[in-house]
Amino acid sequence: MNLRDTLCIKDGRLNIGGCDCVELAKKYGTPLYVLDEEYVRQVMRAYLEGLSDYGKYAVAYASKALSCLALYNIVKEEGLWTDVVSGGELYATQKAGIDPKHIVMHGNNKTPKEMKEGVETGVGHIVVDGIDEIDRLDKIAGEVGKKATVLIRVNPLVEAHTHAAVQTARPDSKFGVIIGEEATNAIKTILTKENLIFDGLHCHIGSQIFDYSAFELAVDTMVEFIASLNKQGIKVNTLNMGGGFGIYYSGDDPLFTPMRYAHTVRNLALLLEKSISKHGIEKPFLIIEPGRSIVGEAGITLYTVGTIKEIKGIRKYVAIDGGMFENPRYALYQSKYTAINASRADKPFVQSVAVCGKCCESGDMIGIDIPLQDTQVGDTLAVFSTGAYNYSMASNYNMNAVPPMVIVKDGKSDYIVKPQTYDDLIRNNALPEWFKG
Ligand code: LLP
């Protein structure tokens, strides 16, 4: 567990943002996503503070971790930028009033519609992800009648030690153009395009990374590449290093605090400065794109314990009223989680159980060996570090409703995502004419 001021045990129960979790479960029902506003803001401020000495920088929150209007409001208030990866995310940022100039638009296969929306909205950067996107984007920008400012996504071939599904800089990757000749040629092509303005480079080496030497190597590699571009007369204004900073989920994962993130990016920026002077390039505008680390540990999910099934000598299953429809990360990545019985939070952890969901498949688990207190039917179970890539990857599998999300602060709570109803589940169903007989 990685507890903190706003996530603590109080009067024997789990408390988040000054709210008793058992009371939250009663008031809003379960499953329930809960987001600690204070922690979100603290991490955002830490990133800004960590880069402040570097001077020319932006922190673009990666929407894919958790996208909703309330969060974009916080992003705006704290002075962050936003990265989006679909027309839907872009739409939500605009509904929340994010300045288009502060938006970085990604996607390894942006549809023509999405490119058009990006150009029309006037996003600050569109990140060109591949060579054949260049022509398409140039043509679309021409049709819209606006120039698109672009970065190019470069694969720096720096391996990050993380799950293969979230590694992005191996030679065999669908993302980006390979650093060196391929990327240089792509940039030269961009420079010939009438409707594109080349502004710089982007890279993202992966997600949930603890080994910062991979970032350090990526920084040096990118600066060296900028130097080689400069020698060919190509100016690079912006260097976007992507996201990927890890969070605590369980076991031996490092324990993070906002201060630690500030420290990490301060070191990265120092390293960048060193590399800049070593290679003699002009200081680029630096962008980072953290997602998971801003919302991940800020979020918990509350469940009500249902069936408990013990298979003697094999395992004990504790079933909750959620599952892979609201947290698919075990099913996808065998991710590990930490949990607590929020109703008996001060009691000792006496068992290791499989926390399973209610979906119709055996892989529907939150974890197979989660330490837990004595737990009874009806208890409130809290799973930690679910703020990132849970709600954003939720589905209606088995026609389960995506749970609502509440935000908590100083003992107050309110919805930021309202509950889905059964009617919502069939809202877009349609019956063709010939069914109506
Ligand atoms: N920038 C780019 C271009 C990215 O592709 C990503 C994440 C980020 C920034 C933010 O990375 P973060 O700071 O959140 O690590 N669904 C997976 C994670 C996929 C991450 C994809 N890209 C999971 O649940 O672990």
Side-chain angles (χ1 to χ4, degrees):
M1 263 183 291
N2 190 14
L3 297 177
R4 53 182 184 261
D5 279 1
T6 52
L7 181 62
C8 57
I9 294 166
K10 206 170 157 195
D11 304 325
R13 309 218 291 213
L14 185 68
N15 190 290
I16 183 164
C19 298
D20 181 304
C21 288
V22 179
E23 293 302 324
L24 286 175
K26 255 194 225 148
K27 181 169 177 191
Y28 297 99
T30 55
L32 179 70
Y33 297 118
V34 186
L35 193 70
D36 172 2
E37 179 175 343
E38 186 57 33
Y39 190 75
V40 170
R41 289 187 189 271
Q42 282 176 10
V43 180
M44 288 178 173
R45 287 173 196 165
Y47 277 124
L48 293 171
E49 153 68 23
L51 293 182
S52 58
D53 287 345
Y54 183 79
K56 295 166 66 178
Y57 64 97
V59 177
Y61 166 69
S63 293
K64 56 190 80 71
L66 170 61
S67 174
C68 65
L69 299 184
L71 195 64
Y72 289 131
N73 265 279
I74 302 178
V75 161
K76 229 173 27 179
E77 279 178 17
E78 296 296 337
L80 270 71
W81 291 18
T82 311
D83 107 15
V84 300
V85 76
S86 68
E89 285 182 355
L90 178 61
Y91 176 82
T93 63
Q94 294 313 285
K95 283 284 169 192
I98 302 257
D99 183 347
K101 289 195 289 301
H102 294 167
I103 291 178
V104 183
M105 185 172 192
H106 288 287
N108 72 298
N109 182 26
K110 300 169 205 72
T111 63
K113 179 171 178 282
E114 287 171 326
M115 289 190 205
K116 183 163 177 255
E117 288 162 357
V119 177
E120 276 175 350
T121 308
V123 301
H125 286 127
I126 297 184
V127 183
V128 170
D129 202 283
I131 290 166
D132 76 304
E133 204 176 73
I134 300 172
D135 271 341
R136 277 204 295 275
L137 184 60
D138 179 54
K139 188 161 165 277
I140 287 169
E143 282 160 11
V144 172
K146 272 190 183 176
K147 292 203 188 308
T149 304
V150 303
L151 303 179
I152 183 135
R153 179 161 180 167
V154 172
N155 179 347
L157 298 176
V158 171
E159 288 224 7
H161 297 279
T162 185
H163 192 287
V166 291
Q167 275 185 335
T168 46
R170 289 169 301 169
D172 181 2
S173 170
K174 69 172 181 170
F175 296 107
V177 291
I178 303 273
I179 198 159
E181 201 183 330
E182 186 176 275
T184 308
N185 288 338
I187 294 164
K188 286 181 179 162
T189 308
I190 293 173
L191 288 167
T192 64
K193 298 296 173 190
E194 201 180 321
N195 305 300
L196 305 183
I197 301 167
F198 174 71
D199 195 53
L201 310 179
H202 172 273
C203 76
H204 171 78
I205 58 172
S207 194
Q208 185 57 3
I209 297 169
F210 297 142
D211 174 11
Y212 295 139
S213 61
F215 284 119
E216 291 169 11
L217 185 57
V219 163
D220 202 51
T221 308
M222 294 298 279
V223 172
E224 197 180 335
F225 182 49
I226 294 176
S228 90
L229 291 171
N230 288 169
K231 283 198 193 100
Q232 300 171 67
I234 299 169
K235 194 163 180 282
V236 175
N237 300 320
T238 298
L239 174 61
N240 183 330
M241 290 301 300
F245 307 104
I247 66 170
Y248 178 87
Y249 281 106
S250 73
D252 295 333
D253 292 350
L255 295 176
F256 291 93
T257 58
M259 282 261 282
R260 187 161 173 175
Y261 292 120
H263 182 74
T264 301
V265 293
R266 185 172 299 119
N267 279 347
L268 263 189
L270 282 173
L271 215 112
L272 174 59
E273 304 234 31
K274 251 198 217 150
S275 194
I276 286 169
S277 52
K278 179 170 99 190
H279 295 285
I281 66 160
E282 211 174 286
K283 185 169 173 167
F285 185 83
L286 173 66
I287 303 177
I288 58 166
E289 300 175 327
R292 187 192 312 267
S293 48
I294 289 178
V295 289
E297 289 199 57
I300 64 170
T301 309
L302 299 179
Y303 304 99
T304 303
V305 172
T307 299
I308 298 175
K309 167 178 169 176
E310 182 147 22
I311 311 171
K312 286 270 172 284
I314 298 187
R315 164 188 331 278
K316 184 171 179 180
Y317 284 92
V318 172
I320 41 126
D321 49 0
M324 63 193 292
F325 62 97
E326 48 77 30
N327 182 357
R329 297 192 69 258
Y330 179 84
L332 283 172
Y333 322 115
Q334 296 75 51
S335 308
K336 292 205 175 357
Y337 281 98
T338 308
I340 196 169
N341 185 328
S343 314
R344 308 160 198 257
D346 58 350
K347 297 286 182 288
F349 287 73
V350 291
Q351 54 183 342
S352 178
V353 302
V355 176
C356 65
K358 65 190 285 291
C359 293
C360 283
E361 57 184 85
S362 302
D364 171 31
M365 306 288 258
I366 300 297
I368 53 168
D369 47 6
I370 298 190
L372 211 58
Q373 295 95 334
D374 172 43
T375 293
Q376 306 295 331
V377 176
D379 284 351
T380 302
L381 189 91
V383 174
F384 295 106
S385 300
T386 57
Y389 304 113
N390 274 223
Y391 171 72
S392 64
M393 294 205 296
S395 72
N396 287 126
Y397 184 43
N398 287 173
M399 279 283 204
N400 284 297
V402 170
M405 188 179 304
V406 297
I407 196 159
V408 289
K409 189 179 192 218
D410 301 331
K412 294 178 300 203
S413 65
D414 207 347
Y415 283 123
I416 54 174
V417 178
K418 290 190 197 151
Q420 277 188 340
T421 62
Y422 287 154
D423 273 337
D424 291 331
L425 298 178
I426 55 165
R427 189 168 310 284
N428 296 331
N429 286 200
L431 286 178
E433 234 1 88
W434 64 91
F435 278 55
K436 291 180 183 160

